[in-house]
Amino acid sequence: MIQNKRLLLGAAGAFTAIEILLGYLLQTADTGVKYLSYASVVLACLFCALFFERSQAYAFTQLGLLCTVCADYFLVLSEPRAQLPAMLFFSVTQLAYFARLYLSDPSKKRRAWHLYTRIGASVIAIVATV
């Protein structure tokens, strides 16, 4: 993790500037769009690595970002697109973010509500796709 506040501020500024540039290029470029969009996801994952800490919240966040990078590879860069591995990686992403939110909430009532809502939404999504 970056300890120096100046370095951290500089890294955050560079990250923001690069993401804004990538966003602009995504809207205006005629070619290479898939590489620009993938670079944006990879950059976010790498930027998160700058904040490494030994905590569950960090581990689940980084896992979610890594799985997003993998899923986007299968959807954006691979030829032909491999939708099944992409969806599996996105499923792990959603589970990682759920675990992060669930474990970081001190309220048992909210945690239970979050759990039941997630299960209900998942069941609805599965039934709708069948």
Side-chain angles (χ1 to χ4, degrees):
M1 180 175 175
I2 297 177
Q3 298 296 327
N4 184 319
K5 289 193 184 220
R6 281 186 140 168
L7 186 59
L8 183 60
L9 188 59
F15 170 75
T16 303
I18 293 169
E19 286 288 356
I20 288 170
L21 176 64
L22 287 170
Y24 173 78
L25 292 174
L26 277 167
Q27 300 301 316
T28 60
D30 292 328
T31 60
V33 171
K34 65 182 183 178
Y35 300 108
L36 292 170
S37 64
Y38 189 70
S40 180
V41 173
V42 170
L43 181 61
C45 184
L46 293 174
F47 183 69
C48 182
L50 293 176
F51 297 94
F52 175 80
E53 63 181 44
R54 291 180 183 264
S55 71
Q56 288 180 332
Y58 174 82
F60 285 124
T61 300
Q62 191 62 33
L63 176 63
L65 288 168
L66 284 170
C67 287
T68 300
V69 167
C70 293
D72 278 3
Y73 170 79
F74 287 112
L75 285 179
V76 176
L77 293 183
S78 70
E79 291 291 334
R81 273 192 268 178
Q83 292 178 332
L84 181 60
M87 295 312 295
L88 291 173
F89 276 111
F90 274 133
S91 295
V92 175
T93 297
Q94 291 303 310
L95 289 171
Y97 292 148
F98 163 70
R100 184 197 192 289
L101 291 170
Y102 184 81
L103 294 172
S104 66
D105 194 339
S107 168
K108 287 184 181 183
K109 186 176 181 180
R110 276 195 312 258
R111 283 170 55 161
W113 183 85
H114 188 79
L115 180 63
Y116 297 135
T117 302
R118 174 97 39 179
I119 290 170
S122 296
V123 168
I124 290 168
I126 290 169
V127 169
T129 58
V130 170

